[in-house]
Each structure stands twice: as structure tokens, then as C-alpha cells.
């Protein structure tokens, strides 16, 4: 992670640029077949996005400790 808001934006852009390749790596790492493969891939994708959300939240908090995240269920 790069420091500052510009660094956060650059990190996010780099992540966006690599997204397709990263998702393909996750898909290629699935070892099971059939519908179980879809479940395994889905879990890996969920965890991938969860880790990114956690990293973003930490980065936002480092930039602004008063930052709050408002969650609204669908």
C-alpha cells in the first residue's frame, strides 16, 4: 500500500487492472469438478473480495481515523 489518498487510488487502479487475471487464477486453482467446482470457486471469489474490502477499510482508516462505514442490507 502506498501512503496517502493518491496512493490509495493508485493501489485500487492497479488492483482493478489485475482483477481479470486474479479471478482466472482462482478459477484455475479449483481442483474439484461439476457443481462442487462452482461452489469452491464461489467461496474463493468471496474470500478474495472480502480480503480486498478489509484492506481498503484499513487504508481508509489510516487516512481518516474518523471514517465510518455504513452498512445497509439489501
Amino acid at each position: 500500500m502506498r501512503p496517502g489518498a493518491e496512493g490509495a487510488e493508485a493501489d485500487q487502479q492497479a488492483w482493478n487492472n489485475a482483477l481479470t487475471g486474479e479471478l482466472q487464477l482462482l478459477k484455475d486453482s479449483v481442483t474439484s469438478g461439476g457443481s462442487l467446482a462452482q461452489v469452491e470457486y464461489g467461496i474463493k471469489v468471496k474470500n478474495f473480495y472480502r480480503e480486498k474490502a478489509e484492506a481498503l477499510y484499513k487504508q481508509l482508516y489510516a487516512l481518516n481515523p474518523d471514517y465510518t462505514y455504513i452498512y445497509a442490507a439489501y
Side-chain angles (χ1 to χ4, degrees):
M1 270 191 278
R2 298 175 194 133
E6 296 82 17
E9 189 173 334
D11 285 346
Q12 183 62 36
Q13 188 60 45
W15 187 83
N16 289 345
N17 292 341
L19 184 58
T20 302
E22 292 292 328
L23 291 174
Q24 186 61 49
L25 288 174
L26 290 176
K27 192 174 214 174
D28 293 345
S29 73
V30 173
T31 56
S32 56
S35 58
L36 187 56
Q38 294 175 352
V39 171
E40 184 180 346
Y41 176 62
I43 290 169
K44 288 181 179 212
V45 169
K46 176 197 68 158
N47 290 336
F48 176 74
Y49 281 107
R50 178 181 283 165
E51 290 168 9
K52 178 58 177 175
E54 180 183 359
L56 280 174
Y57 191 76
K58 287 178 181 178
Q59 199 169 28
L60 286 170
Y61 184 78
L63 290 170
N64 179 3
D66 295 327
Y67 176 81
T68 57
Y69 174 74
I70 299 172
Y71 173 78
Y74 292 98

